[in-house]
Amino acid sequence: MSDIKVVRVHADQRAETSVTTGTKAWELFRDDADVVAARVAGQLKDLAYELADGDEVEAVAIDSADGRDILRHSTAHVMAQAVQQIWPEARLGIGPPIENGFYYDFDVETPFVPEDLVKIESAMRKIIKENQRFERRVTTDADALTELKDEPYKIELIGLKGGAGAEGTEGASVEVGAGELTVYDNIGRSGEAKWSDLCRGPHLPTTKRIPAFKLMRSAAAYWRGDEKNKQLQRIYGTAWESKEALEAHLERIAEAEKRDHRKLGRDLDLFSFPDEIGSGLPVFHPKGGVIKREMEDYVRRRHIEEGFDYVGTPHISKEGTFHLSGHLPYYKDTMFPPMEFEGADYYLKAMNCPMHNLIYRSRGRSYRELPLRLFEFGHVYRYEKSGVIHGLTRVRGFAQDDSHSYVTEEQAPGEIKHLLDFVLGLLRDFGLDDFYLELSTRDDSKPDKFVGSEEQWTNATDVLRTACEESGLELVPDPGGAAFYGPKVSVQAKDAIGRTWQMSTIQYDFNQPQGFDLTYQAADGTRKQPVMIHSAKFGSIERFLGVLVEHYAGAFPPWLAPVQVQAIPVAEFAADYLHDVARQMKAQGLRVEVDDSDDRMQKKIRNAQLQKVPFMVIAGNDDIEAGAVSFRYRDGRQDNGVPVAEAIERVAAAVASREQV
RNA sequence: GCCGCCUUAGCUCAGUCGGUAGAGCGAGUCACUCGUAAUGACUAGGUCGUCAGUUCGAUUCUGACAGGCGGCUCCA
């Protein structure tokens, strides 16, 4: 038996070792129970991989990103085995790891119900206990087709192997890679194959290496993500390297639920969605109205400071406008059906740009006017499918903080940079400061979905890309995500618990100026066509408000808080004193309420706490005698005996600086 | 739009194996007047999402519709 040399790689260290031929990867890592796989020359391999001379081998720990993917993928296999154990007629779809978990799709007669998940979980626990071994087996297309004759979906995947189809089917690549075809057998104690699945791997060595998992929910999903295909039943689960990590994950979910803007919107009396009005059509209550107005006032002011002109346009228009803009042919299905009267079809507007174009076109324009920037809170209505409506983040009627910059082609790059700086600054003002950019381009395989020449698209995309790169932010490509009239940049912001939200968009449009025949007179006397740059800063006021509710978990910074100061008398005798303090605060434009109900003081504090009011101002005899008040903050911190004038100044300063307290 | 689940008081939720319902919080009234997260008592409040069907009788069973939730698809 001859020796071979392998290189063990660990972080920046490399160490050459001699091992005997036939040594398996696990033998290198036998003293580390956290290692679940090996990375050999960049490729993930099972621990049962037989080392070859010259291999560079790196341990993959279960708590690394790759390790978790492997764990989750293996857990998905165990789940599929459990499902087929209980429902032998269930046919297998795909079962990839996803962020924070995994899923597996099944074709079953009856959809799963929550009790089924309990049954499946206990069958999975049994399989895990049995400590079945995941064993890789190389096969051929022909053999696999015979072996999997009862698994039509797997057979379809084999047919796609290596082709464009497999890439286009999310998750399919974990089943069939571009290389050789492999099956994983789950081997029981006595060496018999308990279950097999077409799979690229790698997997954990054994089922017992699954430390903690939980099935989360079941839902339908179209086969290969295409709504023309049959819906399969998908079960989502999660798996972690330890019970503690699973627990922490479940806590993060619970934390996200606590922040859910739909729940907080009700608890804090901000907004509601009356059934009587219709799905996806929110109303703002007085407290939500305060936040919305503060947002709008601030954003309007900033736009004006940045050289925008505030305009106003109607909610409906005759159809011709939307033909000119090109929207009707492309987006008729997402507009509300027309109202017919006086012999014309009127549509609720789904976008503001056509109206702004008409303002531009209302008279002749000179190059001296450019960039011409029109801005408004335009209320648009979109017929979103019933299944996609979601709180304030996906609605059927909303206000866009929409602007259109009309510029010469030469001015376009500068204007885009200006817009990008502007929106990032705005988002920072609202407390979001972790961003990345996404560049949505046209899908070259679907030219009929996009208007304009290839050259125009290339030029527009390049202009946007350059501006993005100059921003220094991370740039993520989004092929095929563009609007029909041009490419777009969107700003993705991370919130307080790390979730990303699509916020602002900037779109380069060479198409509508042509449709509306927009022109300006250049310095040399010729007529030229301007370029139009669409930009929404929050996207939608409603949506951004929802995002802010979740970002702040309802505890808004004072400048946005519906009630900035809740004044609480220690007892009834102190109420007049606080009413007087409140009058002084209101005179400074602060939002103050005095709780003169006959609740006990402790109860009033609790109520203010639950309403997440930033400043509680409390007064009793001690304060009155000293001409002072006592602060209590949301975190329970106290600051007693603050002179009234200083207290007012403190609140006013926090509001003015837009800081959180 | 598709699949599944859900809809009982303002909110959160019990309950009725078919005989028209209950708690806590909230609201109102009264008493209490208290120094940093719930004072007590009483009262009001529901054609049990809507419309059909089955039934002597439906909040309960069936169906359709509406709305909500979780996904999928979509997201100018």
Side-chain angles (χ1 to χ4, degrees), chain A residues 535-591:
Chain A
S535 168
K537 285 82 212 170
F538 297 158
S540 115
I541 302 291
E542 285 76 359
R543 203 174 102 85
F544 191 53
L545 201 156
V547 171
L548 286 180
V549 169
E550 305 212 358
H551 176 63
Y552 289 117
F556 287 97
W559 76 286
L560 289 171
V563 176
Q564 292 163 331
V565 178
Q566 180 62 261
I568 296 172
V570 157
E572 199 179 334
F573 70 86
D576 284 348
Y577 177 76
L578 280 179
H579 274 296
D580 186 54
V581 174
R583 253 192 303 280
Q584 297 177 52
M585 287 182 161
K586 281 178 186 162
Q588 301 236 2
L590 298 175
R591 297 186 285 270

Side-chain angles (χ1 to χ4, degrees), chain A residues 217-388:
Chain A
R217 63 175 65 92
S218 64
Y222 298 105
W223 168 238
R224 295 181 60 203
D226 189 334
E227 65 180 322
K228 289 193 277 296
N229 289 341
K230 182 169 183 176
Q231 283 197 328
L232 306 182
Q233 294 302 312
R234 173 173 296 180
I235 301 177
Y236 285 92
T238 187
W240 293 84
E241 65 273 13
S242 65
K243 293 242 175 354
E244 295 70 37
L246 172 63
E247 209 48 51
H249 172 64
L250 297 177
E251 268 164 36
R252 279 193 296 275
I253 293 174
E255 172 60 25
E257 269 168 26
K258 263 190 257 162
R259 288 170 175 260
D260 191 316
H261 72 279
R262 294 165 299 182
K263 174 182 154 51
L264 287 171
R266 197 170 43 233
D267 292 349
L268 303 180
D269 197 14
L270 302 179
F271 49 80
S272 61
F273 301 87
D275 293 354
E276 293 83 344
I277 296 177
S279 190
L281 297 166
V283 293
F284 289 87
H285 302 189
K287 284 183 177 156
V290 168
I291 302 169
K292 188 163 176 280
R293 180 170 50 77
E294 284 291 351
M295 292 168 66
E296 289 169 351
D297 286 353
Y298 186 67
V299 171
R300 186 184 292 111
R301 203 188 87 211
R302 287 290 297 122
H303 271 87
I304 291 165
E305 287 168 2
E306 293 291 326
F308 291 82
D309 296 321
Y310 189 71
V311 298
T313 63
H315 292 207
I316 65 173
S317 161
K318 288 193 280 192
E319 64 178 335
T321 321
F322 302 118
H323 274 303
L324 272 183
S325 68
H327 286 97
L328 262 182
Y330 283 89
Y331 290 107
K332 190 173 177 147
D333 290 349
T334 30
M335 293 177 74
F336 277 92
M339 298 166 259
E340 192 275 319
F341 59 98
E342 291 175 347
D345 275 344
Y346 283 78
Y347 281 87
L348 276 168
K349 71 174 169 183
M351 65 298 297
N352 303 299
C353 28
M355 309 277 192
H356 290 183
N357 290 341
L358 294 173
I359 295 173
Y360 181 96
R361 208 171 72 166
S362 64
R363 63 171 170 79
R365 299 289 174 183
S366 152
Y367 73 98
R368 294 170 192 273
E369 290 181 76
L370 307 185
L372 179 68
R373 306 184 177 100
L374 305 181
F375 158 74
E376 74 168 314
F377 292 108
H379 288 84
V380 298
Y381 296 88
R382 298 179 182 179
Y383 174 63
E384 300 285 2
K385 291 185 200 169
S386 61
V388 307

Side-chain angles (χ1 to χ4, degrees), chain A residues 52-114:
Chain A
D53 194 33
D55 275 350
E56 300 202 354
V57 190
E58 192 181 349
V60 175
I62 192 166
D63 59 356
S64 66
D66 285 331
R68 283 185 184 136
D69 275 354
I70 292 167
L71 159 68
R72 287 161 185 167
H73 188 189
S74 295
T75 313
H77 269 228
V78 170
M79 179 173 81
Q81 182 181 351
V83 166
Q84 287 199 318
Q85 204 170 290
I86 303 170
W87 296 275
E89 71 289 355
R91 299 289 67 115
L92 301 173
I94 57 172
I98 52 173
E99 191 181 0
N100 291 328
F102 61 87
Y103 66 79
Y104 213 116
D105 288 343
F106 304 95
D107 186 1
V108 282
E109 272 300 300
T110 332
F112 300 110
V113 295

